[in-house]
Amino acid sequence: MQYCPLCKVRIAGSKRCCPLCKGKLEGEPEPESEMFPQVVAPHRRAQIARRIVTLCVVAVVLCCLQVESVWHPASKWPYFVIASALCAWLSILIGISRRRLLMQNLTAQALLFCVLSVLWDVGTGWSAWSVGWVVPILLIGTVGALVLLKLILHVPMVDAVGWIVVLAVLGWLLPLVLVWLDQVPVVLPSMICAIGCFVTLVVLLLFFHRYMREEAARRFHL
């Protein structure tokens, strides 16, 4: 067992220095006599999870390139698989980094999937399914999900109102601009999204304007 000659105490377990005086210890360490388990910090677990996810994505990319070069040198399917793996990698990394901030996590995921859906639409020949269906459905759906989470989990309004306002403003203006520019093949989802988000903003302004002012002052130092 380790012993501190300055404090005259015996130290169980395996320590680098005395926990009292930080002095040098004598004797042999005994890890089996450790009284407290080693606690892994949360950020350490998150870092390990990010590395594992990145390793899996790299493995998928390398496997796809190898299969494409050996068996199907003229096919394009590996590139779709690689793009899907990269999209999943981005989503998982955001989920890990914002795992304790549910409202912020959902908002970031919704915006990410909106951008990725537009990129997929452009990469597959642009048939406008992303702006006609995916973007409005994601925006109005996420606004509804944030409202439900606020009610179910009893999230303080001052913590929830900022993220609801961001998505509601985007869900109100973006579909209207796309409809006005004649970029959507189907108008109904965009109009439902715009109306729903506008109603949400009106409700927030009428009943929760104090929280909106507090959030604006906190975010923009007004």
Side-chain angles (χ1 to χ4, degrees), residues 176-188:
L176 292 180
V177 171
L178 292 174
V179 170
W180 180 62
L181 294 176
D182 196 22
Q183 294 296 318
V184 294
V186 182
V187 178
L188 183 60

Side-chain angles (χ1 to χ4, degrees), residues 31-97:
E32 64 278 1
S33 64
E34 182 66 56
M35 299 177 62
F36 301 100
Q38 184 177 4
V39 179
V40 180
H43 69 276
R44 175 65 176 172
R45 290 197 292 265
Q47 186 179 25
I48 294 174
R50 284 193 291 266
R51 291 177 178 178
I52 292 174
V53 172
T54 303
L55 178 62
C56 292
V57 172
V58 171
V60 169
V61 171
L62 293 178
C63 289
C64 289
L65 293 177
Q66 184 68 24
V67 171
E68 190 267 343
S69 62
V70 174
W71 284 289
H72 301 282
S75 64
K76 296 182 179 180
W77 69 266
Y79 303 106
F80 289 102
V81 176
I82 292 172
S84 302
L86 293 176
C87 292
W89 176 70
L90 285 174
S91 178
I92 293 173
L93 288 188
I94 291 177
I96 293 174
S97 61

